[in-house]
Amino acid sequence: MDESDPARRQRLTNAAAGALAAMRAGEDDGALDRVAAAVQSTPNSHVDARELMLLLFHECSAMVSALGSGGTTPVKMQVYDDDGHEVPIDEADPPVRTAVRTLLAQVHGDTDGAKAQIEIALTNAAPEEMATLMVQALRWTLRLSEECVSRGLAVPSWVREE
């Protein structure tokens, strides 16, 4: 994320924290409403949407690394279809595929690759697919943070706030 505008970073972090709190309370639609309000009210809504998702995927990556003992223990990612059967990433729904590829890029330190995945989605995906991608990023952030907390690993305060 562009660090040159601390107010923008704080606004996006606050939006992500509010969305996570809404999801924690079981309000997926409320979470998406918070994200939409934060990014649509700005002249750079496309850039802000990308930066918000990259913020979430960056935190997910950090938590995956922590859970994998800094890379010494592999962390397995699995994708399931609607019936609960594991499917290859390339057979997953497009937003899930994008989420997995974005997270993998971040985990491997390929920030440009992660940005490219989000940019492709923002340019080509239907609004409901973007909503699914955002929900996926929020859910992973919540689940990973819960696992990190249960193992006594560090999680940023804005991710943990209720």
Side-chain angles (χ1 to χ4, degrees):
M1 177 180 288
D2 180 11
E3 301 292 334
S4 65
D5 186 353
R8 180 169 172 256
R9 178 173 175 75
Q10 189 60 51
R11 182 176 49 77
L12 294 176
T13 301
N14 289 345
L20 289 168
M23 287 200 82
R24 202 174 283 111
E27 301 168 6
D28 288 9
D29 289 339
L32 289 174
D33 290 344
R34 287 175 185 247
V35 168
V39 299
Q40 290 174 348
S41 64
T42 66
N44 296 320
S45 60
H46 181 93
V47 173
D48 282 358
R50 182 188 69 215
E51 294 301 318
L52 185 76
M53 281 190 269
L54 287 171
L55 172 67
L56 292 168
F57 282 112
H58 172 78
E59 293 305 333
C60 285
S61 171
M63 290 184 282
V64 165
S65 179
L67 289 166
S69 303
T72 61
T73 305
V75 175
K76 183 177 180 182
M77 292 193 66
Q78 297 169 291
V79 177
Y80 297 93
D81 63 16
D82 293 336
D83 298 323
H85 299 102
E86 188 173 357
V87 296
I89 291 171
D90 291 333
E91 293 177 21
D93 291 335
V96 175
R97 241 186 352 248
T98 299
V100 170
R101 288 178 177 153
T102 302
L103 181 56
L104 288 172
Q106 282 284 35
V107 166
H108 292 286
D110 184 6
T111 304
D112 289 339
K115 284 181 183 177
Q117 288 295 319
I118 298 297
E119 194 60 42
I120 290 167
L122 282 166
T123 303
N124 300 312
E128 62 273 4
E129 290 177 320
M130 287 308 302
T132 300
L133 179 59
M134 181 60 74
V135 166
Q136 191 69 57
L138 290 164
R139 283 186 181 147
W140 284 351
T141 304
L142 279 179
R143 289 182 184 144
L144 288 165
S145 67
E146 290 166 357
E147 187 61 28
C148 283
V149 167
S150 76
R151 294 185 190 190
L153 300 171
V155 175
S157 61
W158 68 265
V159 172
R160 290 179 287 131
E161 291 172 358
E162 299 285 328

